[in-house]
Amino acid sequence: MPPTLPISPTDRVFILCGAGVSAESGIPTFRGVGGLWQNFRIEEVASPEAWYRDPRMVWEFYSMRRRAASTAKPNPAHFALAKLENTLQDRLFVCTQNVDRLHELAGSKNVIHMHGELFKSRCDTCSRAPFADTNVYDPPAEVPRCKCGGRIRPHICWFGEMPFELDRIYEALDGCTVFLAVGTSGVVHPAASFVDHVAGRARTIYVGPESPENASSFAECYLGKAGQVLPNLFSVL
Ligand code: OAD
Ligand code: ZN
């Protein structure tokens, strides 16, 4: 078990979450045993090229993920982060790579979804804002259309696309004194290089059951499951 992590009244905490945070809620991670990328090829289901080549296959993949995530419940890691937000308010910045809504279901109000949101869709042509969408679009049904004639696509950052809210994210990274990454394998950029952006200036900590690819960038690594470590990690002074 890691020592507790004291948070002083002047600390500003940046938390980067990865798929491991939702693993204990039954949502599969991407890499490793049982990971989604063992059964699907990224370039066939999660890229702009896939969308233009075969949008129905892309919807089949995201429909499956909507189905799997629709009954998932937050775990103690999500609740710990919601509680921390309650205490630290705007001194906490949670940036998740996860597209599920488990942070929100646990009570978090300010979570940046840098890779998008599974239960939102948007038009692939016009600038209509992303909208809530829990539908599953299974082939052979047609891909849904926007009023403008464009196709409705998942509101997800695909490989080759720019993550969302990077301006706010780098502003928060610049101002943080504590940087904690949880449950992320440290291979997908730019998220995997956030730690290098703050190194030397902020306290850097990793929590997860195994060392991430970018472990050498962290000053401290604590091995353990998010749902077991996070509820006892923070000690707000
Ligand atoms: P990965 O699947 O790459 O890594 C999941 C990490 O979670 C691994 O390091 C596991 O050791 C760890 N893990 C497993 N169970 C855990 C637990 N109970 N508690 C804590 N950690 C646990 O997922 P990400 O790093 O999030 O992008 O992947 C990053 C991005 O790659 C995703 O957002 C997604 C994916 O392709 C897009 O779809 C754009
Ligand atoms: Zn449109």
Side-chain angles (χ1 to χ4, degrees):
M1 267 292 161
T4 56
L5 173 63
I7 311 282
S8 83
T10 53
D11 275 328
R12 302 188 73 86
V13 182
F14 188 110
I15 300 190
L16 173 68
C17 297
V21 171
S22 294
E24 289 157 86
S25 296
I27 297 183
T29 60
F30 294 93
R31 297 169 186 82
V33 179
L36 279 173
W37 296 148
Q38 293 210 315
N39 296 317
F40 296 90
R41 290 161 61 93
I42 294 177
E43 59 277 18
E44 280 176 9
V45 291
S47 69
E49 294 73 26
W51 178 247
Y52 291 109
R53 192 173 54 234
D54 193 348
R56 290 161 77 215
M57 183 190 278
V58 173
W59 265 123
E60 191 173 0
F61 176 67
Y62 286 99
S63 294
M64 173 204 79
R65 291 185 54 196
R66 280 186 180 177
R67 249 189 240 104
S70 63
T71 53
K73 303 270 184 298
N75 68 55
H78 299 104
F79 287 113
L81 294 179
K83 190 173 155 208
L84 190 64
E85 178 187 278
N86 226 356
T87 315
L88 297 182
Q89 302 282 325
D90 64 357
R91 292 194 294 125
L92 177 70
F93 191 91
V94 176
C95 172
T96 190
Q97 298 167 83
N98 299 344
V99 297
D100 62 55
R101 54 190 171 186
L102 298 182
H103 291 289
E104 287 80 4
L105 289 178
S108 285
K109 297 196 170 51
N110 271 315
V111 173
I112 300 291
H113 285 271
M114 67 177 290
H115 288 166
E117 292 176 70
L118 186 57
F119 293 100
K120 283 190 181 171
S121 298
R122 69 173 197 264
C123 177
D124 75 354
T125 304
C126 73
S127 56
R128 168 184 178 186
F131 55 93
D133 185 5
T134 54
N135 289 318
V136 290
Y137 302 106
D138 279 332
E142 282 304 310
V143 169
R145 294 264 177 192
C146 175
K147 281 192 197 117
C148 80
R151 289 195 174 96
I152 299 297
R153 61 164 276 179
H155 182 49
I156 298 282
C157 169
W158 286 325
F159 284 86
E161 294 186 319
M162 183 77 95
F164 301 104
E165 310 257 24
L166 284 181
D167 289 352
R168 281 179 69 192
I169 290 171
Y170 280 103
E171 194 185 308
L173 286 169
D174 286 339
C176 80
T177 57
V178 176
F179 176 89
L180 170 72
V182 194
T184 176
S185 57
V187 299
V188 174
H189 292 270
S193 46
F194 289 170
V195 59
D196 296 322
H197 191 82
V198 303
R201 206 169 33 75
R203 185 171 175 185
T204 54
I205 305 141
Y206 181 79
V207 170
E210 55 204 358
S211 278
E213 187 85 3
N214 57 352
S216 63
S217 296
F218 290 88
E220 301 159 64
C221 272
Y222 299 118
L223 299 188
K225 291 185 171 184
Q228 287 167 7
V229 175
L230 292 197
N232 306 307
L233 186 63
F234 310 104
S235 140
V236 180
L237 306 174

